[in-house]
Amino acid sequence: MLPTDGSMVRPISRGLTLRALIIWFILLQFIRLSSGAKTRHFKWEVEYMYWSPDCIEHVVMGINGQFPGPTIRAKAGDTVVVELTNKLPTEGVVIHWHGIRQLGTPWADGTAFISQCAINSGETFHYRFKVDRAGTYFYHGHLGMQRSAGLYGSLLVDVAEGEKEPFHYDGEFNLLLSDWWHKSVHEQEVGLSSNPFRWIGEPQSLLINGRGQYNCSLAAQYSDTNSSQCKLRGNEQCAPQILHVRSNKTYRLRVASSTALASLNLAIGNHKMVVVEADGNYLQPFKVNDLDIYSGESYSVLITTNQDPSKNYWLSIGVRGRLPATPPGLTILNYQPTSASKFPTSPPPVTPPWNDYHHSKMFSKSIFALMGSPKPPTSYDRRISLLNTQNKIDGFTKWAINNVSLALPPTPYLGSIKYGLRNAFDQKSPPENFPDNYDVMRPPINPNSTTGSGVYMFGLNTTVDVILQNANALSDNVSEIHPWHLHGHDFWVLGYGEGKFSAKDEKKLNFKNPPLRNTAVIFPYGWTALRFVADNPGVWAFHCHIEPHLHMAKLLYKNRGR
C-alpha cells in the first residue's frame, strides 16, 4: 500500500508540470478524435449498363447499378475502405478520390500507371485511406476516359464529432455537375488519337446529379427557339431532382464539377449565394449572383430562402469559356408547401456570355482564405514554369508541357521508385521552364513536340512555386481555359495575370490571404501562380482536368519524399 502521509510525494517543477499538462491535453485530444472516428466499408462493382441520363438511353459506366455512383459520407478522421471489383468485360479500372490528400497512403490515390496498376477485369482491389479534413469532394475514374463514361460520384466529409463549421445552415443539398455525350468514350478516344484529328465536339447535355434533358427544355415556355417541353413522366432516370426548401431558412449547397470538358456557371433565380468553402478549405464569405466552376473544383455556398414562398425558382447551369452548343441544365428550387410541379413564373437565369472572361476573373480574384487559415511560406526553394501548348507529334495532335508530351510507362511510377527500377521511366527530369522569346500570343513557330516519361523530383518539405503559363493553340486566336489539379496536396493560389509572367508580376502576388485549393484555372493567354510544400511523400499527378486534354497527354507527375 502507498503511505497516506505524503512521504512518497516529491516536488515537481512548475515547468515540468506545465509540460505534463500540455502532453496530457494533446493525448486527450487524440483519444477524443480517435474514439469518434470510424472505419466505413463499401463494397462496389463497376460495370457497364444501360441508362438514360438525358432521357436518351445509352451505355454508361455505373457502380452497383447506380449512376452516378453511390455517395460516400464520412466524418473527418474516419477511415474509408472501398472493396472495388471490376466487372467490365474487357478493360481495367481505377478510381481517384479527388481532393483527398492521401496522407501516408499514396498507393490509394487511384491513378493508373502512377500509384497503381489498373484493376483487371474480374479482379478486386481494396482502397483504404483516411479522410483527414471536412469538405466537399468527389471521386472518378482515372484511366482512359472513364470519367466521361460516367464513372464518378460524390464524397462528402463532415466535421469531426464535437466540431462545428464556421457558418450556420438549416439543411443542405449536394449538386454533382457533369457533361454528357451520345458518342461513346471509345469512339471519342479513337478520334482524339487519329490522324487526321477528330475532336469530340461539344456535349449534348449538362447533368445535375446525373440527370438532364436532351432535345427538350423544362423551360420551353420561355424559349424563343423551337425547343419542346420535356415529357418526363415515367422516366425517373432523367427527371430533375427538385430541391425542396422551407421559407426563411439557410441552406448549404455543396457543388462539385466532374465535367469532362465544360466550364460552368451556376445561378438560382432571385437568390444570391454566399461562397464559404472551396476544395475543402474555408473562405472569407462573399456574396455573388452566380458562380463559375471549372472541372475538378468544388464549392459550398449558402442561400437564404427569403423570396415569395408561393413561387418556385430555377436553378440553372450553363457553359462558360467555349462557344456554347449545349443547352443549360435545369432544376427547380421548390418552396414548400407550394407544389413542386408549379413552374417558376420567370425564365431561368441567363448564363453570362461564354467569352466574358472579365466576369470569370473577377469571381476568381474574389476568393480569399478565411482568417486563421495556413499562410504560404514567404519564399520558395524551387520555381517551375509550365508552358501549356498544343503541338504535333508525327502528325498527331497532342498537348505538351514545355514542349514535352507525357507518355505513360507500363510500370506505375510509385512501384518503380520504391523498388529502384531505374529503366522503367525516363530518369532525366522534364524541362523546368521554356525559352524567354516564346510568343504566347501566337501559334508555335515550330509545332513539333516530343514525348517523355520523366518526373520532377522534390526533396521532402521543399517549397515549390509553379507558374502555369497559357499560350495560343495551333490555330490562330485560340487559347483555351485549363483547370489544373494537383494530387496529394493543396496549393496556395498566389495570383492571376495577363500575357507572359515576368519579374514585374511578382508584386501582384498575394501572400496575405491566398486561398488553398487543389484545382486552379489558367485563363486564355494568361498565367496563374501557385505555391505548395512537398510534404506528402509519394508520386502524385499534376494535370489539366479536361478529360480529352488529359487523354492527349497534358499530364505531369511529381515525386516527393526522396
Side-chain angles (χ1 to χ4, degrees), residues 423-463:
N423 294 325
F425 62 92
D426 294 343
Q427 295 301 297
K428 183 180 178 181
S429 181
E432 299 201 0
N433 48 45
F434 56 94
D436 291 337
N437 62 356
Y438 190 94
D439 188 352
V440 300
M441 306 303 291
R442 297 179 181 276
I445 296 174
N446 178 6
N448 295 314
S449 181
T450 185
T451 60
S453 61
V455 299
Y456 294 103
M457 299 284 193
F458 300 115
L460 186 63
N461 294 321
T462 299
T463 297

Tab-separated table of all heavy atoms in Angstrom, residues 423-463:
chain	number	residue	atom	x	y	z
A	423	ASN	N	15.086	1.691	-65.104
A	423	ASN	CA	14.819	1.669	-66.543
A	423	ASN	C	13.330	1.717	-66.871
A	423	ASN	O	12.943	1.616	-68.027
A	423	ASN	CB	15.437	0.419	-67.164
A	423	ASN	CG	16.956	0.425	-67.088
A	423	ASN	OD1	17.577	1.486	-67.202
A	423	ASN	ND2	17.554	-0.739	-66.880
A	424	ALA	N	12.505	1.878	-65.832
A	424	ALA	CA	11.062	1.839	-66.054
A	424	ALA	C	10.521	3.144	-66.633
A	424	ALA	O	9.453	3.160	-67.243
A	424	ALA	CB	10.342	1.514	-64.752
A	425	PHE	N	11.247	4.260	-66.427
A	425	PHE	CA	10.819	5.542	-66.975
A	425	PHE	C	12.050	6.424	-67.157
A	425	PHE	O	13.139	6.122	-66.653
A	425	PHE	CB	9.785	6.230	-66.065
A	425	PHE	CG	10.292	6.561	-64.681
A	425	PHE	CD1	10.856	7.800	-64.405
A	425	PHE	CD2	10.218	5.626	-63.650
A	425	PHE	CE1	11.335	8.112	-63.136
A	425	PHE	CE2	10.681	5.921	-62.378
A	425	PHE	CZ	11.243	7.173	-62.118
A	426	ASP	N	11.871	7.524	-67.880
A	426	ASP	CA	12.986	8.433	-68.152
A	426	ASP	C	13.556	8.970	-66.842
A	426	ASP	O	12.806	9.525	-66.015
A	426	ASP	CB	12.526	9.610	-69.016
A	426	ASP	CG	12.107	9.196	-70.411
A	426	ASP	OD1	12.463	8.073	-70.812
A	426	ASP	OD2	11.425	9.986	-71.095
A	427	GLN	N	14.852	8.853	-66.666
A	427	GLN	CA	15.487	9.352	-65.449
A	427	GLN	C	15.818	10.840	-65.532
A	427	GLN	O	16.080	11.478	-64.516
A	427	GLN	CB	16.756	8.553	-65.170
A	427	GLN	CG	16.499	7.084	-64.847
A	427	GLN	CD	15.603	6.910	-63.623
A	427	GLN	OE1	15.958	7.297	-62.512
A	427	GLN	NE2	14.423	6.326	-63.830
A	428	LYS	N	15.781	11.385	-66.743
A	428	LYS	CA	16.046	12.804	-66.901
A	428	LYS	C	14.794	13.603	-66.553
A	428	LYS	O	13.697	13.319	-67.015
A	428	LYS	CB	16.467	13.099	-68.341
A	428	LYS	CG	16.826	14.561	-68.587
A	428	LYS	CD	17.231	14.775	-70.037
A	428	LYS	CE	17.551	16.252	-70.297
A	428	LYS	NZ	17.915	16.479	-71.717
A	429	SER	N	14.959	14.620	-65.718
A	429	SER	CA	13.827	15.458	-65.323
A	429	SER	C	13.322	16.274	-66.504
A	429	SER	O	14.109	16.711	-67.347
A	429	SER	CB	14.257	16.396	-64.191
A	429	SER	OG	13.172	17.206	-63.778
A	430	PRO	N	12.023	16.510	-66.605
A	430	PRO	CA	11.490	17.344	-67.686
A	430	PRO	C	12.000	18.785	-67.553
A	430	PRO	O	12.459	19.201	-66.487
A	430	PRO	CB	9.972	17.270	-67.478
A	430	PRO	CG	9.745	16.109	-66.572
A	430	PRO	CD	10.963	15.986	-65.727
A	431	PRO	N	11.889	19.580	-68.610
A	431	PRO	CA	12.318	20.989	-68.551
A	431	PRO	C	11.538	21.760	-67.481
A	431	PRO	O	10.333	21.549	-67.301
A	431	PRO	CB	12.012	21.525	-69.949
A	431	PRO	CG	11.904	20.316	-70.816
A	431	PRO	CD	11.393	19.221	-69.952
A	432	GLU	N	12.224	22.669	-66.784
A	432	GLU	CA	11.594	23.441	-65.717
A	432	GLU	C	11.164	24.833	-66.177
A	432	GLU	O	10.600	25.594	-65.389
A	432	GLU	CB	12.539	23.551	-64.517
A	432	GLU	CG	12.890	22.189	-63.928
A	432	GLU	CD	13.381	22.257	-62.498
A	432	GLU	OE1	13.457	23.368	-61.940
A	432	GLU	OE2	13.676	21.188	-61.935
A	433	ASN	N	11.417	25.154	-67.439
A	433	ASN	CA	10.967	26.431	-67.983
A	433	ASN	C	10.933	26.336	-69.502
A	433	ASN	O	11.131	25.244	-70.068
A	433	ASN	CB	11.856	27.587	-67.512
A	433	ASN	CG	13.335	27.278	-67.667
A	433	ASN	OD1	13.743	26.767	-68.710
A	433	ASN	ND2	14.127	27.572	-66.641
A	434	PHE	N	10.695	27.441	-70.146
A	434	PHE	CA	10.624	27.470	-71.607
A	434	PHE	C	11.384	28.692	-72.113
A	434	PHE	O	11.707	29.600	-71.327
A	434	PHE	CB	9.167	27.482	-72.079
A	434	PHE	CG	8.345	28.618	-71.524
A	434	PHE	CD1	8.206	29.803	-72.237
A	434	PHE	CD2	7.720	28.512	-70.285
A	434	PHE	CE1	7.468	30.859	-71.728
A	434	PHE	CE2	6.978	29.572	-69.769
A	434	PHE	CZ	6.852	30.744	-70.487
A	435	PRO	N	11.717	28.760	-73.392
A	435	PRO	CA	12.532	29.874	-73.902
A	435	PRO	C	11.901	31.234	-73.625
A	435	PRO	O	10.689	31.421	-73.763
A	435	PRO	CB	12.618	29.592	-75.408
A	435	PRO	CG	12.418	28.118	-75.523
A	435	PRO	CD	11.458	27.746	-74.437
A	436	ASP	N	12.726	32.197	-73.230
A	436	ASP	CA	12.248	33.539	-72.913
A	436	ASP	C	11.594	34.218	-74.110
A	436	ASP	O	10.710	35.068	-73.937
A	436	ASP	CB	13.413	34.413	-72.421
A	436	ASP	CG	13.919	33.983	-71.056
A	436	ASP	OD1	13.146	33.343	-70.319
A	436	ASP	OD2	15.092	34.280	-70.731
A	437	ASN	N	12.026	33.843	-75.325
A	437	ASN	CA	11.493	34.521	-76.511
A	437	ASN	C	10.231	33.849	-77.073
A	437	ASN	O	9.771	34.213	-78.151
A	437	ASN	CB	12.564	34.610	-77.604
A	437	ASN	CG	13.036	33.232	-78.086
A	437	ASN	OD1	12.608	32.200	-77.554
A	437	ASN	ND2	13.909	33.208	-79.094
A	438	TYR	N	9.679	32.878	-76.351
A	438	TYR	CA	8.460	32.219	-76.856
A	438	TYR	C	7.309	33.212	-76.817
A	438	TYR	O	7.034	33.834	-75.773
A	438	TYR	CB	8.122	30.980	-76.023
A	438	TYR	CG	7.020	30.138	-76.636
A	438	TYR	CD1	7.312	29.066	-77.458
A	438	TYR	CD2	5.674	30.456	-76.400
A	438	TYR	CE1	6.298	28.304	-78.032
A	438	TYR	CE2	4.657	29.714	-76.981
A	438	TYR	CZ	4.980	28.633	-77.792
A	438	TYR	OH	3.975	27.885	-78.374
A	439	ASP	N	6.601	33.353	-77.915
A	439	ASP	CA	5.477	34.282	-78.030
A	439	ASP	C	4.183	33.534	-77.705
A	439	ASP	O	3.682	32.755	-78.520
A	439	ASP	CB	5.423	34.876	-79.445
A	439	ASP	CG	4.387	35.991	-79.567
A	439	ASP	OD1	3.608	36.198	-78.609
A	439	ASP	OD2	4.365	36.661	-80.625
A	440	VAL	N	3.645	33.780	-76.500
A	440	VAL	CA	2.444	33.055	-76.061
A	440	VAL	C	1.189	33.548	-76.772
A	440	VAL	O	0.132	32.915	-76.670
A	440	VAL	CB	2.254	33.177	-74.534
A	440	VAL	CG1	3.446	32.601	-73.792
A	440	VAL	CG2	1.975	34.619	-74.109
A	441	MET	N	1.286	34.651	-77.512
A	441	MET	CA	0.116	35.223	-78.177
A	441	MET	C	-0.081	34.684	-79.586
A	441	MET	O	-1.082	35.003	-80.234
A	441	MET	CB	0.237	36.750	-78.237
A	441	MET	CG	0.491	37.408	-76.888
A	441	MET	SD	-0.762	37.021	-75.633
A	441	MET	CE	-2.162	37.911	-76.306
A	442	ARG	N	0.857	33.855	-80.061
A	442	ARG	CA	0.768	33.337	-81.424
A	442	ARG	C	0.939	31.815	-81.427
A	442	ARG	O	1.504	31.252	-80.486
A	442	ARG	CB	1.844	33.970	-82.310
A	442	ARG	CG	1.716	35.470	-82.469
A	442	ARG	CD	2.839	36.022	-83.332
A	442	ARG	NE	2.732	37.469	-83.480
A	442	ARG	CZ	1.969	38.070	-84.390
A	442	ARG	NH1	1.256	37.335	-85.233
A	442	ARG	NH2	1.925	39.386	-84.464
A	443	PRO	N	0.478	31.138	-82.487
A	443	PRO	CA	0.727	29.692	-82.592
A	443	PRO	C	2.230	29.420	-82.587
A	443	PRO	O	3.033	30.278	-82.984
A	443	PRO	CB	0.085	29.306	-83.925
A	443	PRO	CG	-0.907	30.379	-84.203
A	443	PRO	CD	-0.334	31.639	-83.623
A	444	PRO	N	2.637	28.243	-82.144
A	444	PRO	CA	4.074	27.938	-82.121
A	444	PRO	C	4.682	28.000	-83.519
A	444	PRO	O	4.082	27.510	-84.486
A	444	PRO	CB	4.128	26.526	-81.542
A	444	PRO	CG	2.756	25.955	-81.744
A	444	PRO	CD	1.816	27.107	-81.674
A	445	ILE	N	5.873	28.603	-83.618
A	445	ILE	CA	6.565	28.675	-84.906
A	445	ILE	C	6.898	27.272	-85.393
A	445	ILE	O	6.705	26.923	-86.553
A	445	ILE	CB	7.835	29.541	-84.773
A	445	ILE	CG1	7.447	30.975	-84.433
A	445	ILE	CG2	8.653	29.488	-86.055
A	445	ILE	CD1	8.631	31.866	-84.131
A	446	ASN	N	7.410	26.454	-84.474
A	446	ASN	CA	7.662	25.041	-84.765
A	446	ASN	C	6.678	24.224	-83.944
A	446	ASN	O	6.830	24.104	-82.726
A	446	ASN	CB	9.097	24.664	-84.423
A	446	ASN	CG	9.386	23.188	-84.668
A	446	ASN	OD1	8.541	22.454	-85.203
A	446	ASN	ND2	10.570	22.740	-84.279
A	447	PRO	N	5.645	23.653	-84.555
A	447	PRO	CA	4.615	22.959	-83.784
A	447	PRO	C	5.032	21.576	-83.298
A	447	PRO	O	4.304	20.955	-82.520
A	447	PRO	CB	3.453	22.852	-84.772
A	447	PRO	CG	4.122	22.780	-86.105
A	447	PRO	CD	5.341	23.655	-86.001
A	448	ASN	N	6.175	21.079	-83.745
A	448	ASN	CA	6.561	19.706	-83.424
A	448	ASN	C	7.053	19.582	-81.982
A	448	ASN	O	7.788	20.424	-81.479
A	448	ASN	CB	7.652	19.228	-84.386
A	448	ASN	CG	7.133	19.144	-85.812
A	448	ASN	OD1	6.059	18.613	-86.060
A	448	ASN	ND2	7.890	19.707	-86.754
A	449	SER	N	6.625	18.506	-81.358
A	449	SER	CA	6.979	18.243	-79.967
A	449	SER	C	7.559	16.842	-79.855
A	449	SER	O	7.729	16.129	-80.854
A	449	SER	CB	5.737	18.387	-79.071
A	449	SER	OG	6.056	18.169	-77.726
A	450	THR	N	7.860	16.437	-78.636
A	450	THR	CA	8.397	15.102	-78.380
A	450	THR	C	7.695	14.501	-77.175
A	450	THR	O	7.001	15.215	-76.436
A	450	THR	CB	9.921	15.172	-78.133
A	450	THR	OG1	10.440	13.855	-78.013
A	450	THR	CG2	10.223	15.945	-76.844
A	451	THR	N	7.882	13.204	-76.959
A	451	THR	CA	7.283	12.540	-75.801
A	451	THR	C	8.352	12.280	-74.748
A	451	THR	O	9.552	12.261	-75.026
A	451	THR	CB	6.620	11.210	-76.190
A	451	THR	OG1	7.617	10.346	-76.761
A	451	THR	CG2	5.501	11.417	-77.178
A	452	GLY	N	7.888	12.054	-73.515
A	452	GLY	CA	8.795	11.729	-72.421
A	452	GLY	C	8.015	11.174	-71.250
A	452	GLY	O	6.797	11.338	-71.159
A	453	SER	N	8.719	10.500	-70.349
A	453	SER	CA	8.066	9.944	-69.161
A	453	SER	C	8.805	10.338	-67.880
A	453	SER	O	8.649	9.701	-66.845
A	453	SER	CB	7.989	8.411	-69.255
A	453	SER	OG	9.295	7.844	-69.333
A	454	GLY	N	9.600	11.406	-67.957
A	454	GLY	CA	10.333	11.854	-66.784
A	454	GLY	C	9.419	12.511	-65.754
A	454	GLY	O	8.282	12.901	-66.056
A	455	VAL	N	9.917	12.629	-64.520
A	455	VAL	CA	9.142	13.235	-63.435
A	455	VAL	C	9.997	14.289	-62.737
A	455	VAL	O	11.228	14.256	-62.795
A	455	VAL	CB	8.671	12.192	-62.397
A	455	VAL	CG1	7.767	11.156	-63.030
A	455	VAL	CG2	9.857	11.518	-61.713
A	456	TYR	N	9.333	15.226	-62.086
A	456	TYR	CA	10.027	16.196	-61.250
A	456	TYR	C	10.221	15.595	-59.861
A	456	TYR	O	9.262	15.125	-59.251
A	456	TYR	CB	9.219	17.487	-61.142
A	456	TYR	CG	9.081	18.234	-62.442
A	456	TYR	CD1	7.899	18.184	-63.173
A	456	TYR	CD2	10.140	18.985	-62.936
A	456	TYR	CE1	7.770	18.871	-64.365
A	456	TYR	CE2	10.024	19.676	-64.139
A	456	TYR	CZ	8.846	19.620	-64.844
A	456	TYR	OH	8.719	20.294	-66.036
A	457	MET	N	11.439	15.613	-59.368
A	457	MET	CA	11.763	15.074	-58.047
A	457	MET	C	11.970	16.230	-57.065
A	457	MET	O	12.734	17.166	-57.355
A	457	MET	CB	13.041	14.237	-58.115
A	457	MET	CG	12.955	13.034	-59.038
A	457	MET	SD	12.000	11.692	-58.285
A	457	MET	CE	12.423	10.344	-59.416
A	458	PHE	N	11.309	16.153	-55.911
A	458	PHE	CA	11.459	17.178	-54.891
A	458	PHE	C	11.882	16.540	-53.570
A	458	PHE	O	11.387	15.470	-53.203
A	458	PHE	CB	10.135	17.925	-54.666
A	458	PHE	CG	9.605	18.614	-55.872
A	458	PHE	CD1	8.409	18.221	-56.444
A	458	PHE	CD2	10.290	19.668	-56.450
A	458	PHE	CE1	7.915	18.855	-57.567
A	458	PHE	CE2	9.807	20.320	-57.560
A	458	PHE	CZ	8.616	19.914	-58.129
A	459	GLY	N	12.751	17.207	-52.853
A	459	GLY	CA	13.083	16.783	-51.506
A	459	GLY	C	11.926	17.058	-50.567
A	459	GLY	O	11.113	17.963	-50.789
A	460	LEU	N	11.849	16.266	-49.505
A	460	LEU	CA	10.765	16.429	-48.537
A	460	LEU	C	10.794	17.834	-47.938
A	460	LEU	O	11.846	18.349	-47.573
A	460	LEU	CB	10.895	15.376	-47.433
A	460	LEU	CG	9.762	15.307	-46.413
A	460	LEU	CD1	8.447	14.931	-47.084
A	460	LEU	CD2	10.093	14.307	-45.312
A	461	ASN	N	9.595	18.453	-47.877
A	461	ASN	CA	9.376	19.788	-47.313
A	461	ASN	C	9.967	20.914	-48.161
A	461	ASN	O	10.140	22.036	-47.675
A	461	ASN	CB	9.899	19.880	-45.874
A	461	ASN	CG	9.111	18.990	-44.933
A	461	ASN	OD1	7.890	18.883	-45.048
A	461	ASN	ND2	9.796	18.333	-44.019
A	462	THR	N	10.243	20.615	-49.430
A	462	THR	CA	10.648	21.670	-50.361
A	462	THR	C	9.447	22.570	-50.663
A	462	THR	O	8.332	22.095	-50.877
A	462	THR	CB	11.160	21.049	-51.677
A	462	THR	OG1	12.282	20.231	-51.402
A	462	THR	CG2	11.554	22.122	-52.681
A	463	THR	N	9.666	23.873	-50.675
A	463	THR	CA	8.628	24.820	-51.084
A	463	THR	C	8.783	25.076	-52.585
A	463	THR	O	9.850	25.494	-53.041
A	463	THR	CB	8.737	26.138	-50.311
A	463	THR	OG1	8.530	25.878	-48.910
A	463	THR	CG2	7.675	27.132	-50.783
